[in-house]
Amino acid sequence: MAAPDLFRRRRGKGSLTIAGGRVIDPQNGIDKKADVVIENGRVARLESGKRLTDKQIEAGRGVLDARGRVVCPGLVDLHVHFREPGREDEETVVTGSMAAVAGGFTTACCMPNTEPAIDRQEVVQFIYYQAEQAYCHVYPIAAITMERKGDLLTEIGELKDRGAVAISDDGSPVPTAAVMRRALMYAKQFDLPVASHCEDPTLAAGGAMHEGYVSTRAGIMGIPALAEELMVAREIELAGETGGHAHICHVSTARSVSLIRDGKRRKVHVTAEATPHHFSLTDELIPERFDTNLKVNPPLRTRADVRAVIRGLQDGTIDCIVTDHAPHAPEEKELEFDHAPFGLIGLETALPVAIAELVTTGKLTLPALIELMTSRPARVFALDAGHLSPGAVADVCVFDPEPVYEFEPGRFFSRSQNSPFCGRAVQGRICQTVVEGVVVFDRQR
Ligand SMILES: [Zn+2]
């Protein structure tokens, strides 16, 4: 959707006081009313005790009025698909970054399943070149194997030198254990996480939704939970043996959660992420709506799986929330359920869906949710982001936690509109997003 007046390009570094809000900075254990003072693109300090009066806030230049709002570190997403290079009709680094900042995200890590794949230095550099025009920080994740074909490893060290923050063949699994084992060994030398899309291709082949009672009744071929769980078990064993860091992408089943919990107990270097759709939607919605925006990989699972994913978020088994933002052109999603591509957009809906599903229901406190979307993901990929310590890059999200509303189809800032969350009550609205002290998104403009 074109509403460019809400957005401002990042030009240099800003100075600004975000005044009067409830500051939640989980990494520093802060949850209090305070002013965030930003100087030259960095957090200078927090000042509490009503340094600015209401009058000064209203009249102040260089002051952002955050009274009644939550002020937290900018959200960090370890898993987005910005489709560039190759499918710029669906999304680009720049349009994806607009969706990101409209959703409160200030850092997005983009997956390498592009055309060509992010499997060599020039493509990593290309992403950074495009990211110069982006509204937030965009970091490339490089491929594990050349062209993501699953056999020849990429030049992992060189890709890291150019700024790749992790490696992944996401969209596809690494089919053989031998290749994944070598990837974990090499990546370990360069301190890079290996993010795994866990899916046994022989079990998942031909499936369009979760295999179970609902798929049988709907007459749609299923993807068994086991397709994910076998690979989760494999990655944990390989990480344990090699000492490498396996990061499990988009965990969707109860058994996956318990395998990861067990791996962590055994001190294996395994981390994991979950998406809002996997903790809020189930396969039961599919025969009700046959909405292809509900077709996603891994598929929406059962209520028991949703409960287990939430428990994993509660007890720290799952380290962070990511969106798996996957834009698709309407002509592709308008196909029959069996033939439509997998994926949905998630950057603009993530926080309001998470507040409605997890905080309003009492499953997580608001600071615990924010931690799962800021400092925790930042730590998984060792990014310098996700907190408001003095000297930190001043990336900030300001949101109103109260309003309950519904997203409307066709009104997303992403170049694609394939969201299953329209017409569903969500809570909380992003007001402003600040990157390096510059207000890059302001809904009130
Ligand atoms: Zn994936």
Side-chain angles (χ1 to χ4, degrees), residues 310-327:
I310 292 171
R311 265 199 306 282
L313 290 165
Q314 289 169 324
D315 73 5
T317 299
I318 298 174
D319 298 80
C320 59
I321 293 170
V322 304
T323 66
D324 194 3
H325 179 82

Side-chain angles (χ1 to χ4, degrees), residues 246-249 251 260 264 270-274 317-320 380:
H247 176 69
I248 308 297
C249 291
V251 173
I260 295 160
K264 288 189 166 187
V270 56
T271 54
E273 61 184 43
T317 299
I318 298 174
D319 298 80
C320 59
V380 170

Side-chain angles (χ1 to χ4, degrees), residues 44-375:
R45 59 194 171 275
L46 303 191
E47 288 180 343
S48 41
K50 242 184 182 280
R51 189 184 65 96
L52 293 177
T53 64
D54 285 356
K55 269 216 171 97
Q56 284 172 316
I57 292 174
E58 276 153 33
R61 286 180 55 192
V63 177
L64 180 61
D65 183 357
R67 290 171 301 172
R69 313 283 198 237
V70 170
V71 178
C72 69
L75 308 182
V76 176
D77 193 344
L78 302 185
H79 191 146
V80 302
H81 298 273
F82 280 171
R83 304 296 188 218
E84 191 175 7
R87 283 305 301 266
E88 291 82 355
D89 61 313
E90 295 184 329
E91 197 79 286
T92 66
V93 171
V94 169
T95 63
S97 76
M98 291 173 87
V101 298
F105 289 88
T106 54
T107 298
C109 302
C110 55
M111 283 293 182
N113 60 334
T114 49
E115 197 53 53
I118 309 176
D119 61 1
R120 66 206 89 159
Q121 297 178 51
E122 301 80 70
V123 193
V124 170
Q125 277 176 313
F126 170 78
I127 300 293
Y128 274 109
Y129 180 73
Q130 298 306 94
E132 286 174 17
Q133 300 301 315
Y135 290 86
C136 65
H137 310 284
V138 178
Y139 299 116
I141 297 167
I144 299 172
T145 61
M146 295 307 292
E147 299 177 60
R148 300 172 46 257
K149 282 187 171 161
D151 35 45
L152 281 178
L153 287 187
T154 54
E155 293 288 348
I156 296 168
E158 289 176 8
L159 295 167
K160 160 127 192 192
D161 287 345
R162 297 287 167 182
V165 294
I167 54 172
S168 180
D169 276 359
D170 185 59
S172 316
V174 172
T176 63
V179 173
M180 184 49 102
R181 184 173 182 234
R182 259 187 290 131
L184 282 160
M185 287 192 306
Y186 278 111
K188 186 192 169 196
Q189 296 174 26
F190 304 105
D191 271 326
L192 272 188
V194 182
S196 174
H197 170 113
C198 290
E199 177 185 11
D200 181 298
T202 61
L203 288 177
M209 66 177 288
H210 173 66
E211 179 184 286
Y213 174 76
V214 181
S215 67
T216 307
R217 288 214 39 189
I220 294 175
M221 188 133 144
I223 300 172
L226 190 62
E228 173 173 318
E229 293 152 358
L230 278 178
M231 283 297 209
V232 171
R234 185 193 82 175
E235 309 313 38
I236 292 171
E237 291 307 312
L238 290 172
E241 191 233 16
T242 59
H245 175 185
H247 176 69
I248 308 297
C249 291
H250 38 51
V251 173
S252 75
T253 83
R255 180 89 184 114
S256 294
V257 176
S258 65
L259 286 163
I260 295 160
R261 187 176 287 124
D262 179 60
K264 288 189 166 187
R265 232 177 250 143
R266 288 158 43 211
K267 305 285 181 227
V268 174
H269 195 179
V270 56
T271 54
E273 61 184 43
T275 69
H277 47 277
H278 287 121
F279 63 67
S280 63
L281 306 177
T282 68
D283 60 346
E284 291 163 46
L285 291 168
I286 291 167
E288 282 170 28
R289 287 159 54 181
F290 281 106
D291 175 2
T292 57
N293 295 328
L294 295 165
K295 184 174 175 184
V296 64
N297 190 6
L300 303 178
R301 304 285 188 183
T302 67
R303 288 182 195 201
D305 294 309
V306 166
R307 278 196 299 273
V309 168
I310 292 171
R311 265 199 306 282
L313 290 165
Q314 289 169 324
D315 73 5
T317 299
I318 298 174
D319 298 80
C320 59
I321 293 170
V322 304
T323 66
D324 194 3
H325 179 82
H328 283 291
E331 64 273 16
E332 293 185 346
K333 274 293 193 183
E334 276 159 19
L335 297 170
E336 281 171 64
F337 201 88
D338 280 321
H339 298 112
F342 293 101
L344 52 90
I345 57 169
L347 282 163
E348 294 167 71
T349 52
L351 184 64
V353 167
I355 292 174
E357 298 292 332
L358 303 176
V359 179
T360 309
T361 55
K363 289 169 183 147
L364 286 178
T365 63
L366 188 56
L369 171 65
I370 290 172
E371 186 174 19
L372 286 162
M373 301 181 80
T374 58
S375 54

